[in-house]
Amino acid sequence: MKILMVTAEAVPFAKTGGLADAVSALAIVLNKLGHDVRIVMPRYYKIDRSTLEPLEGPMGVPAGYIEAWTEVYQGIMPGTKDLPVYFIDHEQSFGRDGVYGTPADPDFHDNPYRFSVLCHGAFQLCRKIDWYPDIIHAHDWSAALAPVLLRFIQRHNGFQKTASVFTIHNLGYQGVYGKYNYPATGLDWNFFYAAGFEDWDRINFLKAGLTSADMLTTVSPTYAKEIQTPSSGFRMDALLRHRSQDLVGILNGVDTDVWNPSKDTFIAENYSVKNLEGKAKDKAALQERMGLPVDPDVPLFGIITRLADQKGVAELFAPTYGSMYKICTEMKVQVVVLGAGERWCEDELRALESKLPNFKAYIGYDESLSHQIEAGSDFFIMPSRYEPCGLNQMYSLLYGTLPIVRRTGGLADTVQNYNQETGEGTGFMFDELTPQSVFDTVGWAVYAWYNKKDHILAMQKRAMAQDFSWEASAEGYLEVYKRALSKL
């Protein structure tokens, strides 16, 4: 198949979150399977033009009131020989720092226009290079205009044999703006209601994508069910229920070249499911790096997270009611945290560290430390309020580090709950997100550590034998592509 990925971000060129990893990883695997995959994205200020090849001549893009003139540059996705990445270069839209905004200005006021340039530009690019895809695969709200344009404009204009797939990476981000921004889309007002933009007299890009795309996907089977409920649907649940026959949950994969304890270059000692001896050395190295007593007998709990409400950090760390102080004072454990985010939470981590000799935190992000925490910890705490897919619980499983998670989204799809009678399972789960439930579940893991050593070892081996490769995910997407094409 010929597949065009339309996205605001893709590693290693631009990244704000897991979307960038998922787009690139999926494209690379589909490319290896023999499909003609290409990516189109903006050329942000930080992407160096001197490393790219310019396509000859300017490209007109009919976004807004008047045609915008852009340039197009081409690069190759690292790790492949022939996966092109096209960059739309438009100084007014993308010649600045930040993808969606900056810390000082988190949501650029002209984002409706900026991402309209991207989506219109995707079709103009196809004409420019005389390459017409079977599938246009749009990712998240910033690319949601692409399936709208295909359905209402471009299908009558050279793209008769092209179908669209729209993937929701996080339903919480929808691209909602004042109605006065609608002309930035370059669409006639006739399409305002028909394409699904209208949202309480505002425009909602994600809603338009959900309404207009031939097929919809999201990043785990459980999340696909959850977003059809009022509690997790972010006001889109009725529309998603209406389109439930076209909505498929496909679990994101893991880059097992990067996240693999048998060849990870960041960790002190490599190990595998056949020989777990190296994990003890990684634990000792992590304890030493973080200034904890080197003790193989004490269970070490790791946490790597954005310090944001979605991740359940209030239930863990909030002063007076968070469970962490109680965990560290009432249980014989060690805890290591790597994260950054909300200021109150960063301050509280520092306060806990000053009070608790068995609690250590690194504020910020460090790639080597993230690998060392996954390898050196015995357990991994991830109490997310909601989690479309989640990657850290999968990394933990592959490293034999047993996750402690809330039963939601991708966490529910990847972790099997411990049965203390039989020793079955790969982690520890709870349902309601409260400080007490986090405390109790950590306590359950501590009990198993000290009293059921054979169960812990069996769970580690079972966890490490899981298959989270992108190949399995790619097969799921290919089935969705076929279903989309069958609708034409």
Side-chain angles (χ1 to χ4, degrees):
M1 288 190 205
K2 293 189 286 187
I3 303 152
L4 180 65
M5 303 275 183
V6 186
T7 181
E9 49 184 294
V11 293
F13 308 105
K15 174 179 175 175
T16 68
L19 162 65
D21 297 296
V23 168
S24 296
L26 175 59
I28 289 168
V29 171
L30 290 170
N31 171 264
K32 286 178 181 171
L33 291 172
H35 299 280
D36 184 358
V37 189
R38 310 188 185 195
I39 296 172
V40 60
M41 63 181 290
R43 204 287 294 183
Y44 302 108
Y45 191 65
K46 68 175 184 179
I47 300 172
D48 185 359
R49 276 184 290 213
S50 67
T51 63
L52 307 170
E53 290 288 325
L55 297 192
E56 189 176 339
M59 182 174 81
V61 174
Y65 289 109
I66 58 172
E67 195 164 41
W69 288 95
T70 69
E71 289 187 88
V72 181
Y73 289 83
Q74 181 179 338
I76 297 293
M77 175 63 70
T80 72
K81 293 178 183 176
D82 59 351
L83 199 168
V85 183
Y86 299 100
F87 299 90
I88 295 176
D89 191 35
H90 185 241
E91 193 70 21
Q92 177 190 336
S93 298
F94 309 121
R96 62 186 90 168
D97 289 323
V99 174
Y100 311 102
T102 62
D105 183 12
D107 189 23
F108 292 136
H109 74 279
D110 59 345
N111 275 344
Y113 178 72
R114 297 173 72 234
F115 294 116
S116 295
V117 170
L118 168 66
C119 294
H120 279 279
F123 292 96
Q124 296 298 80
L125 168 71
C126 294
R127 293 188 176 94
K128 186 176 178 69
I129 61 176
D130 194 25
W131 179 85
Y132 291 82
D134 300 305
I135 297 290
I136 285 182
H137 190 164
H139 295 267
D140 264 358
W141 76 264
S142 46
L145 185 60
V148 177
L149 293 172
L150 177 63
R151 179 180 174 188
F152 290 97
I153 305 292
Q154 302 295 350
R155 254 205 199 121
H156 316 296
N157 205 4
F159 290 84
Q160 294 88 341
K161 296 180 179 179
T162 302
S164 65
V165 174
F166 180 59
T167 294
I168 310 155
H169 293 265
N170 189 330
L171 193 69
Y173 298 93
Q174 299 185 359
V176 179
Y177 295 93
K179 189 176 177 180
Y180 61 86
N181 286 286
Y182 181 74
T185 65
L187 286 169
D188 190 280
W189 281 100
N190 292 339
F191 302 117
F192 180 67
Y193 292 99
F197 282 102
E198 198 277 333
D199 184 8
W200 293 88
D201 212 35
R202 299 170 298 174
I203 58 170
N204 185 322
F205 279 88
L206 180 124
K207 181 169 175 267
L210 297 178
T211 302
S212 302
D214 294 309
M215 286 293 293
L216 309 174
T217 76
T218 191
V219 291
S220 73
T222 296
Y223 191 60
K225 294 172 188 166
E226 288 175 346
I227 59 178
Q228 296 179 57
T229 66
S231 61
S232 300
F234 289 93
R235 301 182 303 109
M236 295 296 114
D237 53 290
L239 173 56
L240 288 163
R241 287 194 299 275
H242 175 68
R243 297 218 56 194
S244 61
Q245 296 302 309
D246 302 323
L247 172 62
V248 180
I250 303 170
L251 198 68
N252 278 345
V254 167
D255 186 340
T256 49
D257 289 329
V258 175
W259 293 96
N260 186 335
S262 68
K263 58 183 180 181
D264 193 330
T265 57
F266 288 115
I267 64 178
E269 190 85 16
N270 292 123
Y271 60 96
S272 69
V273 68
K274 292 177 182 173
N275 184 357
L276 274 162
E277 283 179 22
K279 189 165 174 65
K281 294 178 181 174
D282 288 311
K283 180 175 179 177
L286 178 61
Q287 288 169 324
E288 197 171 322
R289 174 169 178 177
M290 297 303 291
L292 289 165
V294 177
D295 186 344
D297 297 324
V298 174
L300 178 54
F301 290 78
I303 300 171
I304 303 168
T305 187
R306 270 189 302 116
L307 303 177
D309 182 63
Q310 179 201 333
K311 301 299 183 179
V313 294
E315 288 72 14
L316 271 176
F317 302 121
T320 71
Y321 72 86
S323 58
M324 187 53 65
Y325 184 83
K326 193 177 172 189
I327 288 169
C328 289
T329 54
E330 296 186 15
M331 301 182 202
K332 192 178 177 185
V333 298
Q334 295 176 339
V335 178
V336 171
V337 181
L338 169 63
E342 294 180 20
R343 179 62 60 84
W344 75 263
C345 198
E346 293 184 359
D347 292 343
E348 185 59 22
L349 291 182
R350 294 186 186 97
L352 287 168
E353 193 171 38
S354 69
K355 291 184 266 191
L356 301 167
N358 55 345
F359 179 92
K360 299 293 178 182
Y362 181 104
I363 309 296
Y365 186 71
D366 182 295
E367 184 73 11
S368 67
L369 182 56
S370 70
H371 285 250
Q372 289 157 20
I373 289 173
E374 292 290 10
S377 301
D378 300 300
F379 301 95
F380 190 90
I381 304 175
M382 196 171 174
S384 301
R385 195 170 304 283
Y386 71 94
E387 195 65 63
C389 176
L391 289 172
N392 274 105
Q393 86 281 5
M394 290 194 271
Y395 301 155
S396 298
L397 290 162
L398 294 174
Y399 280 67
T401 299
L402 303 179
I404 295 165
V405 301
R406 188 167 106 73
R407 199 190 310 266
T408 184
L411 304 179
D413 289 320
T414 51
V415 180
Q416 297 146 29
N417 200 18
Y418 172 52
N419 181 327
Q420 65 187 45
E421 301 301 320
T422 65
E424 293 290 313
T426 58
F428 301 81
M429 303 178 82
F430 59 93
D431 291 296
E432 293 303 316
L433 178 55
T434 66
Q436 189 63 46
S437 63
V438 175
F439 177 84
D440 290 343
T441 312
V442 170
W444 187 24
V446 170
Y447 166 80
W449 172 265
Y450 284 114
N451 297 284
K452 303 276 190 178
K453 281 286 192 198
D454 56 330
H455 285 188
I456 294 293
L457 180 60
M459 290 170 75
Q460 286 178 318
K461 289 184 174 179
R462 194 177 298 116
M464 292 179 73
Q466 306 286 306
D467 178 12
F468 295 125
S469 67
W470 266 103
E471 282 75 11
S473 306
E475 291 299 333
Y477 279 105
L478 289 170
E479 284 302 312
V480 169
Y481 295 162
K482 288 173 189 170
R483 284 181 61 185
L485 287 166
S486 73
K487 291 171 173 278
L488 296 180

